[in-house]
Each structure stands twice: as C-alpha cells, then as structure tokens.
C-alpha cells in the first residue's frame, strides 16, 4: 500500500510542514504526532498501513524543526538556556501550543474539520493541547508515553540524562552511533527492536534533515509547557492513555496523571514497554486507538 508521497503544507504562520497520507480521504482521519526530534518516519509505514486496513485515513508529518519541515535556525538555544528553563526562568522560542497550532494548520490544509489524534511523548503533549485549545476539532485522543506538564509526574530517570544530552557528533556515522546508544537506553526490554532496523531508521532521520538545534528548541517547548491537568479535567472527549511500565524517559506517573485527568479515559499500561513503539506492539496500540475512535463514533 503506497502513501501519497511527501508533500508540503504552507501554513499562514510561515511554517512549512512536510507530511504524507495513507488511505482513502473519505475514511475517518487519524493524525499521528511524533515526539522530540522524531520525523514522521518514526511512525513506521507498516503501522500506518495497519491503521488504513482498519478503515482510517492516516496523516503523519514532521513537526517544525524536524525532518523536512521548517527549521527555525534563527533561534539559538544554549545549555544555559536549557538549565534556566528547567528552573522555570527561561522563555522558549515557541511553545507546545504553537506546535498544536501547526497540527491544526495541517488539518486546515487537508480540508479536515476534525480528526482522531494520536501522539507519542512530546506528540502526546501536542495532542492534549489540541484537545484543550479546540475540543470540537478533536474527535478522540490517544496519548502514548506522555504526561500532563505537571513537573512532579512524568519525570526522567536521571541515569539516562547525561547520554541523552550528549553531543551527537559532526558526521552522519557519528550521529547514527550516538542514536543507537540512546535508543538502546530507552527501548522496550521485552520487545527488542532489530538493530539493522534501528540503524536504517537513524540514517534516514539524519538524511531527511536532522537538526541538533531543532531538538533543543523542541526541548525548550517541553520544559516550559504549562500544567494542563485542570484543562484536561474539563474535557469531554473519548480518550485513551498508553504507557510502558519500563519507561525511563517519561515515568509512568505521567501516564497515570493524564488518565486521571481525562474523565472516562481508558488507561492501558504495558509491562515490558519502555519509550519506543516496537513492532511487536503495533496491533496492541492500534486496537486501543480503534476502541477510542469507536467510542467517539458511538456518540453520534
């Protein structure tokens, strides 16, 4: 099953988003939103195709500062800026709200009034923010390995931070080597990813326009995000929260807090899952997304 191929949405904000669609546009739309530094290919084509086989029109895209989408290189972020952001003393070049506005801009470009939204990690923060900002445009919400923005939940295991904040090197091979080291630290222990698959994905990530500065700008948006708990509690949207019990990057307390805030949400915790989307769990995750969309459909 072939996708549409890479296309571009030119948003009124001046941001260009690279995107790809799968399936029939007349089917219910599912927007997939990736996390920190992750291009749309981290939503594997097989994952997208399995969703299409379940009857959905699937859209994946590169967030700003990722892949082939606009890079905001004029905004430089230093390590001091990151430390200030951790302390609540810095302003980010853009916010999670701006990233959510990008997603709505892509839906506008595609002529989609409302969609089922699915987000991973930072993508979960983005889709939560979409639901808060324009609940009428979010048919259902699936938040995976993410958190509410409350600082006392969803924290990182301090053991992995030095490696994750280390420099990625200056060459393609140095980037890939560092990427594989980082991936091994956050991958699901019970659902191992094939090393060749991980290496090929890292090369593709680099070749499509990986940006160290882009990652730090996205990180600033994460570090300066508001606590959405109260806003999430006010929502009435069919939702599911998925989290791995072995996640070292976003502690499972983030998922539990999200599920507690979203009334009536399904909360799925997966033993042996960490901070990735292993192929062994595609059907488990897709089944959960489908259940969520069906709850939305039952309302109408």
């Amino acid at each position: 099953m072939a996708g549409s191929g890479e296309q571009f949405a030119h948003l009124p904000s001046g941001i260009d988003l690279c995107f790809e669609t799968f399936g029939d546009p007349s089917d219910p739309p599912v927007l997939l939103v990736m996390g920190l530094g992750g291009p749309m290919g981290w939503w594997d084509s097989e994952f997208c195709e399995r969703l299409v086989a379940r009857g959905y029109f699937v859209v994946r895209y590169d967030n700003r500062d990722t892949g082939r989408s606009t890079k905001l290189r004029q905004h430089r972020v230093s390590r001091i800026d990151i430390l200030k952001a951790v302390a609540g003393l810095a302003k980010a070049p853009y916010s999670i709200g701006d990233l959510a506005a990008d997603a709505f801009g892509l839906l506008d470009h595609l002529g989609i009034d409302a969609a089922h939204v699915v987000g991973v990690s930072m993508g979960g923060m983005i889709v939560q923010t979409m639901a808060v900002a324009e609940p009428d445009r979010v048919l259902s919400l699936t938040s995976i390995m993410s958190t509410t923005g409350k600082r006392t939940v969803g924290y990182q295991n301090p053991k992995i931070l030095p490696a994750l904040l280390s420099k990625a090197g200056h060459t393609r091979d140095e980037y890939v080597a560092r990427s594989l080291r980082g991936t091994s630290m956050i991958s699901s222990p019970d659902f191992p990813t094939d090393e060749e698959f991980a290496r090929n994905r890292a090369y593709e990530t680099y070749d499509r326009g990986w940006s160290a500065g882009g990652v730090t700008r996205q990180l600033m948006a994460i570090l300066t995000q508001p606590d959405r708990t109260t806003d999430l509690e006010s929502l009435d949207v069919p939702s599911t929260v998925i989290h791995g019990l072995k996640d070292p990057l976003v502690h499972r307390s983030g998922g539990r807090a999200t599920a507690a805030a979203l009334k009536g949400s399904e909360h799925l915790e997966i033993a042996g899952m960490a901070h990735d989307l292993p192929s062994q769990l595609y059907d488990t995750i897709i089944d959960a997304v489908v259940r969520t969309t069906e709850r939305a459909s039952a309302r109408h």
Side-chain angles (χ1 to χ4, degrees), residues 22-211:
F22 296 80
D24 186 339
S26 65
D27 286 333
V30 174
L31 180 71
L32 302 177
V33 187
M34 190 35 73
L36 175 68
M40 61 181 170
W42 288 14
W43 292 107
D44 191 62
S45 295
E46 181 184 347
F47 184 93
C48 298
E49 289 161 2
R50 290 192 194 184
L51 265 174
V52 170
R54 302 290 289 272
Y56 298 91
F57 176 61
V58 178
V59 182
R60 66 179 184 179
Y61 71 102
D62 296 327
N63 283 304
R64 64 168 73 181
D65 268 327
T66 304
R68 297 183 68 195
S69 291
T70 295
K71 309 292 194 305
L72 285 87
R73 294 187 175 92
Q74 67 272 30
H75 298 291
R76 295 186 175 275
V77 175
S78 68
R79 286 177 176 258
I80 292 175
D81 293 327
I82 293 173
L83 292 173
K84 286 182 177 179
V86 171
L89 301 173
K91 188 172 179 351
Y94 51 79
S95 67
I96 294 293
D98 293 323
L99 293 166
D102 289 348
F104 281 127
L106 175 58
L107 294 181
D108 291 339
H109 174 83
L110 292 168
I112 296 174
D113 293 330
H116 302 283
V117 296
V118 181
V120 163
S121 196
M122 182 184 77
M125 302 166 195
I126 293 170
V127 298
Q128 290 173 32
T129 302
M130 291 175 72
V132 168
E134 298 193 53
D136 291 343
R137 300 195 68 183
V138 173
L139 299 173
S140 74
L141 163 66
T142 303
S143 179
I144 305 170
M145 59 183 108
S146 193
T147 186
T148 60
K150 184 177 182 180
R151 292 193 171 220
T152 55
V153 298
Y155 41 83
Q156 297 77 38
N157 184 326
K159 292 180 180 179
I160 69 171
L161 289 180
L164 293 176
L165 293 175
S166 65
K167 292 185 178 180
H170 301 287
T171 69
R172 185 172 182 258
D173 287 337
E174 286 174 350
Y175 165 79
V176 169
R178 187 266 191 187
S179 176
L180 291 174
R181 288 195 300 273
T183 297
S184 69
M185 299 184 75
I186 63 174
S187 293
S188 298
D190 290 9
F191 308 100
T193 296
D194 178 74
E195 186 174 339
E196 183 179 0
F197 175 89
R199 179 176 285 104
N200 289 338
R201 189 179 71 174
Y203 277 122
E204 179 184 322
T205 299
Y206 185 88
D207 293 341
R208 287 191 70 256
W210 182 82
S211 166

